[in-house]
Amino acid sequence: MASYNRTKRIAEEIKKVISSMLISGIKDPRITSMVSVTDVEVTNDLSYAYVYVSILGGDEESTLLGLKSAVNFIRREVMRMVRLKSMPELVFNVDDSY
């Protein structure tokens, strides 16, 4: 139970940091302003964080490529803001649930 609460808390912190970065911090022209983080799921061993994004308007494929190319920058910023011994690998996926 404690592990579930910890991963949930870490997922929320990662979601907050990436959401604010999408508003102000990523200068890749492929990433449109209509991208928002809908959910983050962190594995129990903290090796992966699956980041689900909603892309409204623009090209989904191009935006996803922009996020994937900026993953090291995003990961470094998240690591700076969320203090963890090891930072999970970020995996971006499009959230089609809307």
Coordinates of all heavy atoms in Angstrom, one line a residue:
M1 N 0.8 -1.2 0.0 CA 0.0 0.0 0.0 C 0.9 1.3 0.0 O 0.6 2.2 -0.7 CB -0.9 0.0 1.2 CG -1.9 1.1 1.2 SD -3.1 0.9 -0.1 CE -4.2 2.2 0.3
A2 N 1.9 1.2 0.8 CA 2.8 2.4 0.9 C 3.5 2.6 -0.5 O 3.7 3.8 -0.9 CB 3.8 2.2 2.0
S3 N 3.8 1.6 -1.2 CA 4.5 1.7 -2.5 C 3.5 2.3 -3.5 O 3.9 3.1 -4.3 CB 4.9 0.3 -3.0 OG 5.4 0.4 -4.3
Y4 N 2.2 1.9 -3.4 CA 1.3 2.5 -4.3 C 1.1 4.0 -4.1 O 1.1 4.8 -5.1 CB -0.1 1.8 -4.1 CG -1.2 2.5 -4.9 CD1 -1.3 2.3 -6.3 CD2 -2.1 3.3 -4.3 CE1 -2.3 2.9 -7.0 CE2 -3.1 3.9 -5.0 CZ -3.2 3.7 -6.4 OH -4.2 4.3 -7.1
N5 N 1.0 4.4 -2.8 CA 0.9 5.8 -2.5 C 2.2 6.6 -3.0 O 2.0 7.7 -3.5 CB 0.7 6.0 -1.0 CG -0.7 5.6 -0.6 OD1 -1.6 5.6 -1.4 ND2 -0.8 5.3 0.7
R6 N 3.3 6.0 -2.8 CA 4.6 6.7 -3.2 C 4.6 6.8 -4.8 O 4.9 7.9 -5.2 CB 5.8 5.8 -2.8 CG 7.1 6.5 -3.1 CD 8.2 5.7 -2.4 NE 9.5 6.4 -2.7 CZ 10.4 5.9 -3.5 NH1 10.2 4.8 -4.1 NH2 11.5 6.6 -3.7
T7 N 4.3 5.8 -5.5 CA 4.3 5.9 -7.0 C 3.3 6.9 -7.5 O 3.5 7.6 -8.4 CB 4.2 4.6 -7.7 OG1 2.9 4.0 -7.2 CG2 5.3 3.6 -7.4
K8 N 2.1 6.9 -6.8 CA 1.1 7.9 -7.2 C 1.5 9.3 -6.9 O 1.3 10.2 -7.7 CB -0.2 7.5 -6.4 CG -1.4 8.2 -6.8 CD -1.9 7.6 -8.1 CE -3.3 8.1 -8.4 NZ -3.6 8.0 -9.8
R9 N 2.2 9.5 -5.8 CA 2.7 10.9 -5.4 C 3.8 11.3 -6.4 O 3.8 12.5 -6.9 CB 3.2 10.8 -4.0 CG 3.5 12.2 -3.4 CD 3.9 12.2 -2.0 NE 5.2 11.5 -1.8 CZ 5.3 10.3 -1.2 NH1 4.3 9.8 -0.6 NH2 6.5 9.8 -1.1
I10 N 4.7 10.4 -6.8 CA 5.7 10.7 -7.7 C 5.1 11.0 -9.1 O 5.5 12.0 -9.8 CB 6.7 9.6 -7.8 CG1 7.5 9.5 -6.5 CG2 7.7 9.7 -9.0 CD1 8.4 8.3 -6.3
A11 N 4.1 10.2 -9.5 CA 3.5 10.5 -10.8 C 2.8 11.8 -10.8 O 2.9 12.5 -11.8 CB 2.4 9.4 -11.0
E12 N 2.2 12.2 -9.8 CA 1.6 13.6 -9.7 C 2.6 14.7 -9.8 O 2.4 15.7 -10.5 CB 0.7 13.7 -8.4 CG -0.6 13.0 -8.5 CD -1.5 13.5 -9.6 OE1 -1.6 14.7 -9.8 OE2 -2.1 12.7 -10.3
E13 N 3.7 14.5 -9.1 CA 4.8 15.5 -9.2 C 5.3 15.6 -10.6 O 5.6 16.7 -11.1 CB 5.9 15.2 -8.2 CG 5.5 15.4 -6.7 CD 5.2 16.9 -6.5 OE1 5.9 17.8 -6.9 OE2 4.1 17.1 -5.8
I14 N 5.6 14.5 -11.2 CA 6.1 14.5 -12.6 C 5.1 15.2 -13.5 O 5.5 15.9 -14.4 CB 6.4 13.0 -13.1 CG1 7.6 12.5 -12.3 CG2 6.7 13.0 -14.6 CD1 7.9 11.0 -12.5
K15 N 3.8 14.9 -13.3 CA 2.8 15.5 -14.2 C 2.8 17.0 -14.0 O 2.7 17.7 -15.0 CB 1.4 14.9 -13.8 CG 0.2 15.4 -14.6 CD -1.1 14.8 -14.1 CE -2.2 15.4 -14.8 NZ -3.5 14.8 -14.4
K16 N 2.9 17.5 -12.8 CA 2.9 18.9 -12.6 C 4.1 19.6 -13.3 O 4.0 20.6 -13.9 CB 3.0 19.2 -11.1 CG 1.7 19.2 -10.4 CD 1.9 19.7 -9.0 CE 1.5 18.7 -7.9 NZ 1.7 19.2 -6.6
V17 N 5.3 19.0 -13.2 CA 6.5 19.6 -13.7 C 6.4 19.6 -15.3 O 6.7 20.6 -15.9 CB 7.8 18.8 -13.3 CG1 9.0 19.3 -14.0 CG2 7.9 19.0 -11.8
I18 N 6.0 18.5 -15.9 CA 5.9 18.4 -17.3 C 4.9 19.3 -17.8 O 5.0 20.0 -18.9 CB 5.7 17.0 -17.8 CG1 7.0 16.1 -17.4 CG2 5.5 16.9 -19.3 CD1 6.8 14.6 -17.8
S19 N 3.7 19.4 -17.1 CA 2.7 20.3 -17.6 C 3.1 21.8 -17.6 O 2.9 22.5 -18.5 CB 1.5 20.2 -16.6 OG 0.9 19.0 -16.7
S20 N 3.9 22.2 -16.6 CA 4.4 23.6 -16.6 C 5.4 23.8 -17.6 O 5.5 24.8 -18.2 CB 4.9 24.0 -15.2 OG 6.0 23.2 -14.9
M21 N 6.2 22.7 -17.9 CA 7.2 22.9 -19.0 C 6.6 23.0 -20.3 O 7.1 23.7 -21.2 CB 8.1 21.6 -19.0 CG 9.1 21.6 -17.9 SD 10.2 20.1 -18.0 CE 11.1 20.6 -19.4
L22 N 5.5 22.3 -20.6 CA 4.8 22.4 -21.8 C 4.2 23.8 -22.0 O 4.1 24.3 -23.2 CB 3.7 21.4 -21.9 CG 4.1 20.0 -22.1 CD1 2.9 19.0 -22.1 CD2 4.9 19.8 -23.4
I23 N 3.9 24.5 -21.0 CA 3.4 25.9 -21.1 C 4.5 26.9 -21.3 O 4.4 27.8 -22.2 CB 2.7 26.3 -19.8 CG1 1.4 25.4 -19.6 CG2 2.4 27.8 -19.7 CD1 0.7 25.6 -18.3
S24 N 5.7 26.6 -20.7 CA 6.7 27.7 -20.8 C 8.1 27.3 -21.2 O 8.9 28.1 -21.6 CB 6.8 28.4 -19.5 OG 7.3 27.5 -18.5
G25 N 8.4 26.0 -21.1 CA 9.9 25.6 -21.2 C 10.4 24.9 -22.4 O 11.6 24.9 -22.6
I26 N 9.6 24.4 -23.3 CA 10.1 23.7 -24.4 C 9.9 24.5 -25.7 O 8.8 24.9 -26.1 CB 9.3 22.3 -24.6 CG1 9.5 21.5 -23.3 CG2 9.9 21.5 -25.8 CD1 8.7 20.2 -23.3
K27 N 11.0 24.7 -26.4 CA 11.0 25.6 -27.5 C 11.0 24.9 -28.9 O 11.3 25.5 -29.9 CB 12.3 26.5 -27.5 CG 12.4 27.3 -26.2 CD 11.3 28.4 -26.1 CE 11.5 29.2 -24.9 NZ 10.4 29.4 -24.1
D28 N 10.7 23.6 -28.9 CA 10.6 22.8 -30.1 C 9.4 23.3 -30.9 O 8.3 23.2 -30.4 CB 10.6 21.3 -29.8 CG 10.8 20.5 -31.0 OD1 10.2 20.8 -32.1 OD2 11.5 19.5 -30.9
P29 N 9.5 23.7 -32.2 CA 8.4 24.2 -33.0 C 7.4 23.1 -33.3 O 6.2 23.4 -33.6 CB 9.0 24.7 -34.2 CG 10.4 24.1 -34.3 CD 10.8 23.8 -32.9
R30 N 7.8 21.8 -33.2 CA 6.9 20.7 -33.4 C 5.8 20.5 -32.3 O 4.8 19.9 -32.5 CB 7.6 19.4 -33.6 CG 8.5 19.4 -34.8 CD 9.3 18.2 -34.9 NE 10.3 18.2 -33.9 CZ 11.3 17.3 -33.8 NH1 11.4 16.3 -34.7 NH2 12.2 17.4 -32.9
I31 N 6.2 21.0 -31.1 CA 5.3 20.9 -30.0 C 4.3 22.1 -29.9 O 4.7 23.2 -29.7 CB 6.1 20.8 -28.7 CG1 7.1 19.6 -28.7 CG2 5.2 20.7 -27.5 CD1 8.0 19.5 -27.6
T32 N 3.1 21.8 -30.2 CA 2.1 22.8 -30.3 C 1.7 23.3 -28.9 O 1.9 22.6 -27.9 CB 0.8 22.3 -31.1 OG1 0.3 21.3 -30.3 CG2 1.2 21.9 -32.4
S33 N 1.0 24.4 -28.9 CA 0.6 25.0 -27.6 C -0.6 24.2 -27.0 O -1.0 24.5 -25.9 CB 0.3 26.5 -27.7 OG -0.7 26.6 -28.6
M34 N -1.2 23.4 -27.8 CA -2.4 22.7 -27.4 C -2.1 21.2 -26.9 O -2.8 20.3 -27.2 CB -3.4 22.6 -28.6 CG -3.8 24.0 -29.1 SD -4.6 25.0 -27.8 CE -6.2 24.3 -27.9
V35 N -1.0 21.1 -26.2 CA -0.6 19.8 -25.7 C -0.8 19.9 -24.2 O -0.3 20.8 -23.5 CB 0.9 19.5 -26.0 CG1 1.3 18.2 -25.4 CG2 1.1 19.4 -27.5
S36 N -1.4 18.9 -23.6 CA -1.6 18.8 -22.2 C -1.3 17.4 -21.7 O -1.6 16.4 -22.3 CB -2.9 19.3 -21.7 OG -3.9 18.5 -22.3
V37 N -0.8 17.3 -20.5 CA -0.6 16.0 -19.8 C -1.9 15.6 -19.2 O -2.4 16.3 -18.3 CB 0.6 16.1 -18.8 CG1 0.8 14.8 -18.2 CG2 1.8 16.6 -19.5
T38 N -2.4 14.4 -19.6 CA -3.6 13.9 -19.0 C -3.4 13.0 -17.8 O -4.2 12.9 -16.9 CB -4.5 13.2 -20.0 OG1 -3.8 12.2 -20.6 CG2 -4.9 14.2 -21.1
D39 N -2.3 12.2 -17.9 CA -2.0 11.2 -16.8 C -0.5 10.8 -16.9 O 0.1 10.9 -17.9 CB -2.9 10.0 -17.0 CG -2.9 9.1 -15.8 OD1 -2.6 9.6 -14.7 OD2 -3.2 7.9 -15.9
V40 N 0.0 10.4 -15.8 CA 1.3 9.8 -15.7 C 1.2 8.6 -14.8 O 0.6 8.6 -13.7 CB 2.3 10.8 -15.0 CG1 3.7 10.1 -14.8 CG2 2.5 12.1 -15.9
E41 N 1.7 7.5 -15.3 CA 1.8 6.2 -14.6 C 3.2 5.8 -14.4 O 4.0 5.7 -15.3 CB 1.0 5.1 -15.3 CG -0.5 5.4 -15.5 CD -1.2 4.3 -16.3 OE1 -0.5 3.4 -16.8 OE2 -2.4 4.4 -16.5
V42 N 3.6 5.6 -13.1 CA 4.9 5.2 -12.8 C 4.9 3.7 -12.4 O 4.1 3.3 -11.6 CB 5.5 6.1 -11.6 CG1 6.9 5.7 -11.3 CG2 5.5 7.6 -12.0
T43 N 5.9 3.0 -12.9 CA 6.0 1.6 -12.5 C 6.4 1.4 -11.1 O 7.0 2.4 -10.5 CB 7.0 0.8 -13.4 OG1 8.2 1.4 -13.4 CG2 6.5 0.8 -14.9
N44 N 6.1 0.3 -10.5 CA 6.4 0.1 -9.0 C 7.9 0.2 -8.7 O 8.3 0.7 -7.7 CB 5.9 -1.2 -8.6 CG 4.4 -1.2 -8.4 OD1 3.8 -0.2 -8.3 ND2 3.8 -2.4 -8.5
D45 N 8.8 -0.2 -9.7 CA 10.2 -0.1 -9.5 C 10.8 1.2 -9.9 O 12.0 1.4 -9.9 CB 10.9 -1.3 -10.2 CG 10.7 -1.2 -11.7 OD1 9.9 -0.4 -12.2 OD2 11.3 -2.1 -12.4
L46 N 10.0 2.2 -10.3 CA 10.4 3.5 -10.7 C 11.3 3.5 -11.9 O 12.1 4.5 -12.0 CB 11.0 4.3 -9.5 CG 10.2 4.5 -8.3 CD1 10.9 5.2 -7.2 CD2 8.9 5.2 -8.6
S47 N 11.2 2.5 -12.7 CA 12.1 2.5 -13.9 C 11.5 3.2 -15.1 O 12.2 3.7 -15.9 CB 12.5 1.1 -14.3 OG 11.3 0.3 -14.6
Y48 N 10.1 3.3 -15.2 CA 9.5 3.9 -16.3 C 8.4 4.8 -15.8 O 7.7 4.5 -14.8 CB 8.9 2.9 -17.3 CG 9.9 2.2 -18.0 CD1 10.3 0.9 -17.6 CD2 10.5 2.7 -19.2 CE1 11.3 0.2 -18.3 CE2 11.5 2.0 -19.9 CZ 11.9 0.8 -19.4 OH 12.8 0.1 -20.1
A49 N 8.2 5.9 -16.5 CA 7.0 6.8 -16.2 C 6.4 7.0 -17.6 O 6.9 7.6 -18.5 CB 7.5 8.2 -15.6
Y50 N 5.1 6.5 -17.7 CA 4.4 6.6 -18.9 C 3.6 7.9 -18.8 O 2.7 8.1 -18.0 CB 3.5 5.4 -19.1 CG 4.3 4.1 -19.3 CD1 4.5 3.3 -18.2 CD2 4.9 3.8 -20.5 CE1 5.2 2.1 -18.3 CE2 5.6 2.6 -20.6 CZ 5.8 1.8 -19.5 OH 6.5 0.7 -19.6
V51 N 3.9 8.8 -19.7 CA 3.3 10.2 -19.8 C 2.3 10.2 -20.9 O 2.6 10.0 -22.1 CB 4.3 11.3 -20.0 CG1 3.7 12.6 -19.9 CG2 5.4 11.2 -18.9
Y52 N 1.0 10.4 -20.6 CA -0.1 10.4 -21.6 C -0.4 11.9 -21.8 O -0.7 12.6 -20.9 CB -1.3 9.6 -21.1 CG -1.0 8.2 -20.9 CD1 -0.6 7.7 -19.7 CD2 -1.1 7.3 -22.0 CE1 -0.3 6.3 -19.5 CE2 -0.8 6.0 -21.8 CZ -0.4 5.5 -20.6 OH -0.1 4.1 -20.5
V53 N -0.3 12.2 -23.1 CA -0.6 13.6 -23.5 C -1.8 13.7 -24.4 O -2.0 12.8 -25.2 CB 0.6 14.3 -24.2 CG1 1.8 14.4 -23.2 CG2 1.1 13.5 -25.4
S54 N -2.5 14.8 -24.3 CA -3.6 15.1 -25.2 C -3.2 16.1 -26.2 O -2.7 17.2 -25.8 CB -4.8 15.5 -24.4 OG -5.9 16.0 -25.3
I55 N -3.3 15.9 -27.5 CA -2.9 16.8 -28.5 C -4.1 17.3 -29.3 O -4.7 16.6 -30.0 CB -1.9 16.2 -29.4 CG1 -0.7 15.6 -28.6 CG2 -1.4 17.2 -30.5 CD1 0.2 14.7 -29.4
L56 N -4.4 18.6 -29.1 CA -5.6 19.2 -29.8 C -5.0 20.1 -30.9 O -4.3 21.0 -30.6 CB -6.4 19.9 -28.8 CG -7.0 19.1 -27.7 CD1 -7.7 20.0 -26.7 CD2 -7.9 18.0 -28.2
G57 N -5.5 19.9 -32.1 CA -5.0 20.7 -33.2 C -3.5 20.3 -33.5 O -2.8 19.7 -32.7
G58 N -3.1 20.6 -34.7 CA -1.7 20.3 -35.1 C -1.6 18.8 -35.4 O -2.5 18.0 -35.4
D59 N -0.4 18.4 -35.8 CA -0.1 17.1 -36.2 C 0.4 16.2 -35.0 O 1.4 16.5 -34.3 CB 1.0 17.1 -37.2 CG 1.4 15.8 -37.8 OD1 0.6 14.8 -37.7 OD2 2.5 15.6 -38.3
E60 N -0.4 15.2 -34.7 CA -0.1 14.3 -33.5 C 1.3 13.7 -33.6 O 2.1 13.7 -32.7 CB -1.1 13.2 -33.4 CG -2.3 13.6 -32.5 CD -3.2 12.3 -32.3 OE1 -2.8 11.2 -32.5 OE2 -4.3 12.6 -31.8
E61 N 1.6 13.2 -34.8 CA 2.8 12.4 -35.0 C 4.0 13.4 -34.8 O 5.0 13.0 -34.2 CB 2.8 11.8 -36.4 CG 4.0 10.9 -36.6 CD 3.9 10.2 -38.0 OE1 2.8 9.8 -38.4 OE2 4.9 10.0 -38.6
S62 N 3.9 14.6 -35.4 CA 5.0 15.5 -35.3 C 5.2 16.0 -33.9 O 6.3 16.1 -33.4 CB 4.7 16.7 -36.2 OG 5.7 17.7 -36.1
T63 N 4.1 16.2 -33.2 CA 4.2 16.7 -31.8 C 4.8 15.6 -30.9 O 5.7 15.9 -30.1 CB 2.8 17.0 -31.3 OG1 2.2 18.1 -32.1 CG2 2.8 17.5 -29.8
L64 N 4.4 14.4 -31.2 CA 5.0 13.2 -30.4 C 6.5 13.1 -30.7 O 7.3 12.8 -29.7 CB 4.2 12.0 -30.7 CG 4.3 10.9 -29.7 CD1 3.8 11.4 -28.3 CD2 3.4 9.7 -30.1
L65 N 6.9 13.3 -31.9 CA 8.3 13.2 -32.3 C 9.1 14.4 -31.6 O 10.2 14.2 -31.1 CB 8.5 13.3 -33.8 CG 8.2 12.1 -34.6 CD1 8.3 12.4 -36.1 CD2 9.2 11.0 -34.2
G66 N 8.4 15.5 -31.5 CA 9.1 16.7 -30.8 C 9.3 16.4 -29.3 O 10.3 16.7 -28.7
L67 N 8.3 15.8 -28.7 CA 8.4 15.4 -27.3 C 9.5 14.3 -27.1 O 10.2 14.4 -26.1 CB 7.0 14.9 -26.7 CG 5.9 15.9 -26.5 CD1 4.6 15.3 -26.3 CD2 6.3 16.9 -25.4
K68 N 9.5 13.4 -28.0 CA 10.5 12.3 -27.8 C 11.9 12.8 -28.0 O 12.8 12.3 -27.4 CB 10.2 11.2 -28.8 CG 9.0 10.4 -28.3 CD 8.6 9.2 -29.2 CE 7.4 8.5 -28.7 NZ 7.0 7.4 -29.6
S69 N 12.1 13.8 -28.9 CA 13.4 14.4 -29.1 C 13.8 15.2 -27.9 O 15.0 15.4 -27.7 CB 13.5 15.2 -30.4 OG 12.8 16.4 -30.3
A70 N 12.9 15.8 -27.2 CA 13.2 16.6 -26.0 C 13.2 15.9 -24.7 O 13.3 16.4 -23.7 CB 12.1 17.8 -26.0
V71 N 13.1 14.5 -24.8 CA 12.9 13.7 -23.6 C 14.1 13.9 -22.6 O 13.9 13.9 -21.4 CB 12.6 12.2 -23.9 CG1 13.9 11.5 -24.4 CG2 12.0 11.5 -22.8
N72 N 15.3 14.0 -23.1 CA 16.4 14.2 -22.2 C 16.4 15.5 -21.5 O 16.6 15.6 -20.3 CB 17.7 14.0 -23.0 CG 18.0 12.6 -23.4 OD1 17.6 11.6 -22.7 ND2 18.7 12.4 -24.5
F73 N 16.0 16.6 -22.2 CA 15.8 17.9 -21.5 C 14.7 17.8 -20.5 O 14.9 18.3 -19.4 CB 15.5 18.9 -22.6 CG 15.1 20.2 -22.0 CD1 16.0 21.1 -21.4 CD2 13.8 20.7 -22.1 CE1 15.6 22.3 -20.8 CE2 13.4 21.9 -21.6 CZ 14.3 22.7 -20.9
I74 N 13.6 17.2 -20.9 CA 12.4 17.1 -19.9 C 12.8 16.3 -18.7 O 12.5 16.7 -17.6 CB 11.2 16.5 -20.7 CG1 10.7 17.4 -21.8 CG2 10.1 16.2 -19.7 CD1 9.7 16.8 -22.7
R75 N 13.5 15.2 -19.0 CA 13.9 14.3 -17.9 C 14.8 15.0 -16.9 O 14.7 14.9 -15.7 CB 14.6 13.0 -18.4 CG 14.8 12.0 -17.4 CD 15.2 10.7 -18.2 NE 15.3 9.6 -17.2 CZ 16.5 9.1 -16.9 NH1 17.6 9.5 -17.5 NH2 16.6 8.1 -16.0
R76 N 15.8 15.8 -17.5 CA 16.7 16.5 -16.6 C 16.0 17.5 -15.8 O 16.3 17.7 -14.6 CB 17.8 17.2 -17.5 CG 19.0 17.7 -16.8 CD 20.1 18.1 -17.8 NE 19.7 18.8 -18.9 CZ 19.7 18.3 -20.2 NH1 20.1 17.1 -20.4 NH2 19.3 19.1 -21.2
E77 N 15.1 18.2 -16.4 CA 14.3 19.2 -15.6 C 13.4 18.6 -14.5 O 13.3 19.1 -13.4 CB 13.4 20.1 -16.5 CG 14.2 21.0 -17.4 CD 15.0 22.0 -16.6 OE1 14.4 22.8 -15.8 OE2 16.2 22.1 -16.7
V78 N 12.8 17.5 -14.9 CA 12.0 16.8 -13.9 C 12.9 16.3 -12.7 O 12.5 16.4 -11.5 CB 11.2 15.6 -14.5 CG1 10.6 14.7 -13.4 CG2 10.2 16.1 -15.5
M79 N 14.0 15.8 -13.1 CA 15.0 15.3 -12.0 C 15.4 16.4 -11.1 O 15.6 16.3 -9.9 CB 16.2 14.6 -12.6 CG 17.0 13.8 -11.7 SD 18.4 12.9 -12.3 CE 18.3 13.0 -14.0
R80 N 15.5 17.6 -11.7 CA 15.9 18.8 -10.9 C 14.8 19.2 -9.9 O 15.1 19.7 -8.8 CB 16.3 19.9 -11.8 CG 17.0 21.1 -11.2 CD 17.5 22.1 -12.2 NE 16.4 22.7 -13.0 CZ 15.7 23.7 -12.7 NH1 15.8 24.2 -11.5 NH2 14.7 24.1 -13.5
M81 N 13.6 19.1 -10.4 CA 12.4 19.6 -9.6 C 11.9 18.5 -8.6 O 11.4 18.9 -7.6 CB 11.3 20.0 -10.5 CG 11.7 21.1 -11.5 SD 12.1 22.6 -10.7 CE 10.5 23.3 -10.5
V82 N 12.0 17.3 -9.0 CA 11.5 16.2 -8.2 C 12.7 15.4 -7.7 O 13.3 14.7 -8.5 CB 10.5 15.2 -9.0 CG1 10.0 14.1 -8.1 CG2 9.4 16.0 -9.6
R83 N 13.0 15.5 -6.4 CA 14.2 14.9 -5.9 C 13.9 13.3 -5.8 O 13.2 12.9 -4.9 CB 14.5 15.4 -4.5 CG 14.8 16.9 -4.5 CD 16.2 17.1 -5.1 NE 16.5 18.5 -5.1 CZ 17.5 19.0 -5.7 NH1 18.4 18.2 -6.3 NH2 17.8 20.3 -5.6
L84 N 14.7 12.6 -6.6 CA 14.6 11.1 -6.6 C 16.0 10.6 -6.7 O 16.9 11.2 -7.3 CB 13.8 10.6 -7.7 CG 12.3 10.9 -7.8 CD1 11.7 10.4 -9.1 CD2 11.6 10.2 -6.6
K85 N 16.3 9.4 -6.1 CA 17.6 8.8 -6.3 C 17.8 8.4 -7.7 O 18.9 8.5 -8.3 CB 17.7 7.6 -5.4 CG 17.8 8.0 -3.9 CD 18.0 6.7 -3.1 CE 18.1 7.2 -1.6 NZ 18.1 6.0 -0.7
S86 N 16.8 7.8 -8.4 CA 16.9 7.5 -9.8 C 15.6 8.0 -10.5 O 14.5 7.8 -10.0 CB 17.1 6.0 -9.9 OG 15.9 5.3 -9.5
M87 N 15.8 8.6 -11.6 CA 14.7 9.2 -12.4 C 14.2 8.1 -13.4 O 15.0 7.5 -14.1 CB 15.2 10.4 -13.1 CG 14.2 11.1 -13.9 SD 12.9 11.7 -12.9 CE 11.7 12.0 -14.1
P88 N 12.9 7.9 -13.4 CA 12.4 6.9 -14.4 C 12.6 7.4 -15.8 O 12.6 8.6 -16.1 CB 10.9 6.8 -14.0 CG 10.6 7.8 -12.9 CD 11.9 8.4 -12.5
E89 N 12.7 6.5 -16.7 CA 12.7 6.8 -18.1 C 11.3 7.3 -18.5 O 10.3 6.7 -18.1 CB 13.0 5.6 -19.0 CG 14.4 5.1 -18.9 CD 15.4 6.1 -19.6 OE1 15.0 6.7 -20.6 OE2 16.5 6.2 -19.0
L90 N 11.2 8.4 -19.3 CA 9.9 9.0 -19.7 C 9.5 8.4 -21.0 O 10.3 8.4 -21.9 CB 10.0 10.5 -19.7 CG 10.4 11.2 -18.5 CD1 10.5 12.7 -18.7 CD2 9.4 11.0 -17.4
V91 N 8.3 7.9 -21.1 CA 7.7 7.3 -22.3 C 6.5 8.1 -22.6 O 5.5 8.1 -21.8 CB 7.4 5.8 -22.2 CG1 6.9 5.3 -23.4 CG2 8.7 5.1 -21.7
F92 N 6.5 8.8 -23.7 CA 5.3 9.6 -24.1 C 4.4 8.8 -25.0 O 4.8 8.2 -25.9 CB 5.8 10.9 -24.8 CG 6.4 11.9 -23.9 CD1 7.7 12.0 -23.8 CD2 5.6 12.8 -23.2 CE1 8.3 12.9 -22.9 CE2 6.1 13.7 -22.4 CZ 7.5 13.8 -22.2
N93 N 3.1 8.9 -24.7 CA 2.0 8.3 -25.4 C 0.9 9.2 -25.6 O 0.6 10.0 -24.7 CB 1.5 7.0 -24.7 CG 2.5 5.9 -24.5 OD1 3.1 5.5 -25.5 ND2 2.8 5.5 -23.3
V94 N 0.2 9.1 -26.8 CA -1.0 9.9 -27.0 C -2.1 9.3 -26.3 O -2.4 8.1 -26.4 CB -1.2 10.1 -28.5 CG1 -2.5 10.8 -28.8 CG2 -0.1 10.7 -29.2
D95 N -2.9 10.2 -25.5 CA -4.1 9.7 -24.9 C -5.3 10.0 -25.8 O -5.7 11.1 -26.0 CB -4.3 10.5 -23.6 CG -5.4 10.1 -22.7 OD1 -6.1 9.1 -23.1 OD2 -5.7 10.7 -21.7
D96 N -5.8 8.9 -26.3 CA -7.0 9.0 -27.2 C -8.3 8.7 -26.5 O -9.3 8.5 -27.1 CB -6.8 7.9 -28.3 CG -5.7 8.3 -29.2 OD1 -5.5 9.5 -29.4 OD2 -5.1 7.3 -29.8
S97 N -8.3 8.8 -25.1 CA -9.5 8.5 -24.4 C -10.6 9.6 -24.5 O -11.8 9.3 -24.1 CB -9.2 8.2 -22.9 OG -8.7 9.4 -22.3
Y98 N -10.2 10.8 -24.9 CA -11.2 11.8 -25.0 C -12.2 11.5 -26.1 O -13.2 11.9 -26.4 CB -10.6 13.2 -25.2 CG -9.8 13.4 -26.4 CD1 -10.4 13.8 -27.6 CD2 -8.4 13.1 -26.5 CE1 -9.6 13.9 -28.8 CE2 -7.7 13.2 -27.6 CZ -8.3 13.6 -28.7 OH -7.6 13.8 -29.9

